[in-house]
Amino acid sequence: MAADVRQRFEALPADSELRPLTKAVLRESVNRLSTGPATTVARIQNRARLIRALYRALDRLDTTQNPAPAT
């Protein structure tokens, strides 16, 4: 998941308004995923929040890179 977000992030134009937010989500994913397996309920919940944030970022990037056709 994080790899997909990173790939789309790198394809964004330098002046894209999504870059700062996406970069923050990716930085947080590196921090949280580098701590080893989640063994407590709190850590599992934090990982679930991270996954939701990555999906939101991916959705935003997909919308920006593949806008819906005008009707």
Side-chain angles (χ1 to χ4, degrees):
M1 169 69 63
D4 289 342
V5 173
R6 182 168 301 286
Q7 180 181 12
R8 286 180 177 88
F9 167 77
E10 290 171 356
L12 286 172
D15 62 345
S16 173
E17 61 188 33
L18 292 175
R19 284 188 77 82
L21 177 61
T22 306
K23 187 175 182 177
V25 170
L26 287 170
R27 187 174 40 244
E28 187 64 22
S29 71
V30 169
N31 291 341
R32 288 189 191 178
L33 295 176
S34 66
T35 62
T39 56
T40 65
V41 172
R43 288 182 73 188
I44 292 168
Q45 288 173 330
N46 282 336
R47 293 272 170 101
R49 287 186 201 101
L50 170 62
I51 292 168
R52 282 193 300 270
L54 287 168
Y55 271 115
R56 281 192 303 270
L58 194 56
D59 287 344
R60 275 190 234 103
L61 292 168
D62 283 344
T63 301
T64 301
Q65 292 176 352
N66 302 310
T71 55

